[in-house]
Amino acid sequence: MYLSTSRASDIAGATPAPKGPLRAVPGTVFALGLVSLVTDVSAEMVTAVLPLYLMAGLGMSPLAFGALDGLHQGATAVLRLAGGRIADRTRRHKLVAGTGYALSAACKAALLLVATPWSVAAVLAADRTGKGLRTAPRDALISLSVPPGEQGRAFGVHRALDTAGALLGPLAAFGVLWVAVDGYAAVFTVSCCVAVLGVVLLALFVREAPAPAPTAGPAPVGAARPAPPPVRTLLRLPVLRGLCPTAAVLGLFTVGDGFLYLLLQRRLDLSDAYFPLLPVGTAAVFLAAALPVGRLADRLGRRRVFLGGHVLLLGAYLLLLVPVPAGAPLVVGVLAALGLFYAATDGVLMAAAGPLLPAGLRTTGLAVLQTTQASARFAGSLLFGSAWTLWGPGAALGPAATGLLLSLVAVAVFGGTRADRPS
């Protein structure tokens, strides 16, 4: 399952090159996908039980859970900028990403030592710090390893492997809860061991990104002016001026998975023991669709596919709002819409921006975009948690659906849906 040896050796050292469906993917991308697969098994084991653990086990209110869910989504967004900037300045993408993975692994162990809602929140904040540090350098490693025309495919392969972990993680949590006496502690212990394995795989098999080619041209004449700050320079680029507002306005009305699964559990009157299986359906659809949707985005335009993913998310909201009978059609419809939403948005957004950013500032540029989206989702989770606390779950979802619909219309009308396929 690898590329030709010559190409892989150029990009990923001793990492072999994929064959078959992965034939156009460098070894670096494949190795990062395996790291993400293992890490996501660890992360999703915790995420799958977190809503019940906090709200049912520790008595956290919906408002407090909304704040924590927003933190989980992106309260540490500023660290994405820090991680991106450090990686660009030092050219040590792997080291910065590895630091983030190691910090998250340590936090899984720390969950065994805390037992109050806000001590758990503090540990999860540190875990999200690790995610904030690693995400932009990891995505930059992927983007710098493939040509512009194959970005969607590369991110699709990575997200497919990543989502295989998201599929296995809830299943592992379900199995542990089924057999263990002290279920939550057992979940956290297994999660920590798996996270450590991810750090080991990164250290052994992921290679540093190749250095960008020097820019040719005459030396500047006269006194050199100090360069503007990188973030200010990046925000002047058309790609970020277009994508950042789009990601922000849509992210504001993206309700966190935990809330949607709780709403679905209420409609189904589902036992707590089966709650961790709900993310499995989403992950299965994401896994199956990530690569085909990534290739579709390369052909049709990544921005169009990104907006289409949010239309599917709106469909999930509507299924939970309308009086559809609680049964298999409701479950399949909501989970399929969520899985397709992630397939059409997660890697596609990075693929849309990556090839249009300068190679020397690509990590910082991706971090700016991720920070914008994560900050908006954090605000959205706070708003939704507040609305749930004040009005109840059903009344909170209605305004979220209305806001998402109006945002999609605004983005389509004022932002356009031009194709963004690089040559």
Side-chain angles (χ1 to χ4, degrees), residues 69-145:
D69 184 66
L71 178 67
H72 210 252
Q73 293 271 356
T76 56
V78 67
L79 288 165
R80 298 174 188 247
L81 287 174
R85 189 66 192 126
I86 292 169
D88 277 337
R89 287 178 66 88
T90 63
R91 299 291 168 207
R92 303 294 297 274
H93 301 80
K94 176 182 173 180
L95 178 62
V96 177
T99 301
Y101 281 110
L103 179 58
S104 292
C107 290
K108 302 302 189 300
L111 284 173
L112 294 166
L113 307 177
V114 295
T116 64
W118 292 109
S119 61
V120 172
V123 172
L124 292 174
D127 175 72
R128 294 301 90 186
T129 298
K131 183 174 178 61
L133 285 174
R134 73 179 183 249
T135 300
R138 181 205 65 200
D139 285 348
L141 281 169
I142 297 171
S143 183
L144 290 167
S145 298

Side-chain angles (χ1 to χ4, degrees), residues 4 8 14 68 115 132 138 144 152 171 184 211 292 366 373 382 412:
S4 68
L68 184 58
R138 181 205 65 200
L144 290 167
L171 289 174
Y184 292 124
L366 293 177
Q373 183 183 55
L382 283 176

Side-chain angles (χ1 to χ4, degrees), residues 55-413:
M55 295 183 69
L58 300 184
M60 182 174 275
S61 70
L63 175 59
F65 181 72
L68 184 58
D69 184 66
L71 178 67
H72 210 252
Q73 293 271 356
T76 56
V78 67
L79 288 165
R80 298 174 188 247
L81 287 174
R85 189 66 192 126
I86 292 169
D88 277 337
R89 287 178 66 88
T90 63
R91 299 291 168 207
R92 303 294 297 274
H93 301 80
K94 176 182 173 180
L95 178 62
V96 177
T99 301
Y101 281 110
L103 179 58
S104 292
C107 290
K108 302 302 189 300
L111 284 173
L112 294 166
L113 307 177
V114 295
T116 64
W118 292 109
S119 61
V120 172
V123 172
L124 292 174
D127 175 72
R128 294 301 90 186
T129 298
K131 183 174 178 61
L133 285 174
R134 73 179 183 249
T135 300
R138 181 205 65 200
D139 285 348
L141 281 169
I142 297 171
S143 183
L144 290 167
S145 298
V146 294
E150 297 178 7
Q151 297 276 317
R153 179 185 179 87
F155 277 98
V157 168
H158 174 268
R159 282 352 186 224
L161 291 168
D162 179 90
T163 307
L167 176 66
L168 296 173
L171 289 174
F174 174 74
V176 171
L177 288 175
W178 191 265
V179 301
V181 176
D182 190 3
Y184 292 124
V187 168
F188 299 152
T189 300
V190 176
S191 172
C192 177
C193 295
V194 176
V196 171
L197 176 59
V199 177
V200 172
L201 289 175
L202 178 81
L204 293 179
F205 297 111
V206 174
R207 302 290 178 172
E208 185 55 82
T215 304
V221 179
R225 296 181 178 179
V231 173
R232 187 186 305 171
T233 300
L234 288 164
L235 288 175
R236 293 173 182 168
L237 298 177
V239 58
L240 290 186
R241 287 207 310 267
L243 286 178
C244 282
T246 297
V249 71
L250 295 176
L252 185 62
F253 298 103
T254 299
V255 177
D257 289 357
F259 278 125
L260 296 180
Y261 296 143
L262 287 170
L263 287 167
L264 188 56
Q265 183 198 28
R266 289 177 175 229
R267 287 283 300 273
L268 298 172
D269 195 22
L270 187 68
S271 167
D272 289 355
Y274 293 97
F275 184 84
L277 295 181
L278 293 178
V280 173
T282 299
V285 175
F286 189 0
L287 174 61
L291 180 54
V293 171
R295 297 175 66 182
L296 182 68
D298 284 339
R299 294 197 300 268
L300 297 184
R302 294 155 193 159
R303 182 184 173 90
R304 287 194 179 106
V305 171
F306 182 74
L307 295 182
H310 285 83
V311 173
L312 291 166
L313 178 63
L314 178 61
Y317 293 176
L318 295 177
L319 284 173
L320 290 169
L321 285 169
V322 299
V324 177
L330 176 64
V331 176
V332 172
V334 171
L335 299 185
L338 277 176
L340 290 171
F341 159 70
Y342 282 114
T345 57
D346 191 1
V348 169
L349 183 61
M350 297 300 101
L356 302 177
L357 293 167
L361 292 174
R362 187 164 302 181
T363 315
T364 306
L366 293 177
V368 168
L369 183 56
Q370 291 166 358
T371 297
T372 302
Q373 183 183 55
S375 299
R377 289 186 176 182
F378 174 53
S381 288
L382 283 176
L383 290 172
F384 188 81
S386 301
W388 182 319
T389 302
L390 292 173
W391 307 322
L397 189 59
T402 302
L404 182 57
L405 175 61
L406 294 176
S407 298
L408 282 167
V409 172
V411 169
V413 172

